[in-house]
Every structure is written in structure tokens, then in C-alpha cells.
Amino acid sequence: MNDHIQSPAPAPALRPVRRAAGLAAVLLALSGAAWCARAVWEIRLAVKGEPASGPPDQGGGTHRPLTSLEDSYHLVSTAGGFTALFCAIVFLLWLDKVRDNARALSGHRPRYSGFWLYFGWLIPVANLWIPRGMVADAHQDSAPGERLPRSVNVWWGLWLVGTLSGVGLMYEDDSDKIIERAYTDLWMLLASDAAVVGAAVAGILVVRAITAVQQRHLDGDVRYGGSPVHANSLEGEAG
């Protein structure tokens, strides 16, 4: 009598994510701190009051000389912009790794191709849901049946508020326009800043949650082929 023993499927090769996740969390924290500094300078501008000569951008291509406080705000804003740029690069590198791991664990291609990893954040309308979808898919493909962390929805909601209000990482207003808003509409500006800072904090939780799911496989705490990752049915996302 011949015994037929089926060998377990070999574990997929996964990319290490812990270091990328740690760096992404640090840059998110620094970006949040940079936006807190911007908010402090905006409060200082509002308290000081707009000069009698009017806003920095006086229309028709005319710009008056900046005050020392306005000039220092430009420096704070520029430093925050560079921090946000580095944060975006590091976050995308981390997301690229967890997407690759999710594909290896689930055995199927992600809904959004590599093109969307970069341009999904920039294309109007599509950028309202595709980036969140990529992050949510990375979690669900790594651990089907587990609830989607609430931090994903919190992070994305705050990100949209910050972006659409014109002070997020992809804002359209230049620093002179932001200074003018600080003089005339401080509370709305601070609300937008708070949304950006909140998105950075929630983003750290998102990075930690998805990294933890994949780290269980990297550490061998979950055996390939014997975990819920390979269940046939998937539960829907939870809020």
C-alpha cells in the first residue's frame, strides 16, 4: 500500500518591513511636529495682526516686503515642506514592500497596479479613494478575515480634510496666501492644520498595524498554509 503524503506549500519569500515601518513612523511624527510648528507661527501672525500695508501678495504680481515674522514663517513652512516630501517618499517605500508581501501571502495581484502606487495620490478624483484602497488591500490580503484597523479610515478621513482644505501635503496655496489666511481666517486654518497632524498620528497607527500583521509571518509566529491568511472566504471591511 502506497502512502501519498502531500508536502506543505513552501512559505513565500517576504520582504523585511520592520525597518521601513520604523522610518515611516519617524517621518510621520516629524511631519506632524512640522505642522504643529506652522500652527504656532500662524497664531503668532494672527496675534501680531496684519500690517497696515496689507497682505504680502497685493495682487497684479505685486508683493510687499515681508516682516521678520512673515519671513520666519516662510522658513518654517519650507522646512515642513521638505519634511513632508521625505515622509511621502519613505511612506511609499514602506507601502511598496507591504503590497509585495500581501501579494505573496494572498497569491493574487493587487487591485491597483504599481502605477497607482505613485500616481494614485495625484490624479484628481481617483486620489479620493485609491490610496486608501491600496492600504486597506495590503491589510486584507495579508490577513483575510481580520477586521480592518479603524485607524485606516481615521487616517484617510483626516488626510482628505487636510488636503481639500488647502494646507495638506499637496496644498495649492503658497506661503504668502497662508499668511493672508492667518490674518483673516485663523480658526479655519488651525482646523486644517489639526486635521493634518491627526492624519500623521493616525498614519503611524496604520503603519504599525499592517506591519504587525506581516511581521507575524516574517517571525514565523504564523505557519504558512495553516493560518486564516489562506481562508477561502473573506469577511468585509470593518470601519
Side-chain angles (χ1 to χ4, degrees):
M1 180 176 180
N2 295 327
D3 293 330
H4 298 281
I5 301 175
Q6 184 178 3
S7 300
L14 302 180
R15 301 174 66 181
V17 293
R18 181 175 286 165
R19 182 174 298 180
L23 191 56
V26 169
L27 265 297
L28 282 164
L30 289 176
S31 294
W35 249 256
C36 285
R38 284 168 57 110
V40 169
W41 254 255
E42 288 155 8
I43 293 172
R44 292 180 62 193
L45 287 165
V47 170
K48 184 74 173 179
E50 186 176 73
S53 54
D57 184 355
Q58 303 198 328
T62 302
H63 292 258
R64 65 164 171 76
L66 298 176
T67 67
S68 60
L69 182 57
E70 291 169 345
D71 198 42
S72 66
Y73 180 80
H74 273 268
L75 296 177
V76 170
S77 178
T78 299
F82 278 112
T83 302
L85 176 61
F86 285 121
C87 178
I89 293 171
V90 171
F91 183 86
L92 289 178
L93 291 175
W94 166 82
L95 183 56
D96 183 48
K97 288 187 175 185
V98 297
R99 274 165 52 89
D100 281 352
N101 287 349
R103 177 179 180 178
L105 290 168
S106 66
H108 60 76
R109 295 177 61 87
R111 281 190 298 167
Y112 304 107
S113 68
F115 168 87
W116 293 110
L117 176 65
Y118 306 102
F119 294 98
W121 303 80
L122 303 174
I123 298 177
V125 182
N127 61 4
L128 297 179
W129 75 84
I130 285 181
R132 178 204 172 275
M134 290 189 293
V135 172
D137 287 351
H139 179 273
Q140 298 299 80
D141 287 347
S142 299
E146 293 192 12
R147 294 171 61 90
L148 183 70
R150 291 184 178 179
S151 56
V152 172
N153 290 328
V154 173
W155 159 71
W156 189 243
L158 291 172
W159 165 268
L160 289 179
V161 170
T163 300
L164 297 177
S165 61
V167 298
L169 300 183
M170 297 182 290
Y171 59 89
E172 297 181 357
D173 288 349
D174 60 20
S175 294
D176 283 348
K177 288 296 183 181
I178 299 294
I179 289 172
E180 183 178 347
R181 291 174 64 184
Y183 288 136
T184 61
D185 199 15
L186 176 64
W187 292 111
M188 288 297 295
L189 192 58
L190 292 181
S192 298
D193 290 333
V196 175
V197 175
V201 173
I204 294 173
L205 299 179
V206 169
V207 169
R208 293 183 60 183
I210 297 178
T211 300
V213 166
Q214 295 192 349
Q215 198 63 43
R216 298 203 303 259
H217 296 274
L218 287 161
D219 293 341
D221 295 337
V222 178
R223 188 169 59 120
Y224 181 75
S227 74
V229 169
H230 301 282
N232 292 325
S233 61
L234 308 182
E235 295 181 6
E237 288 183 2

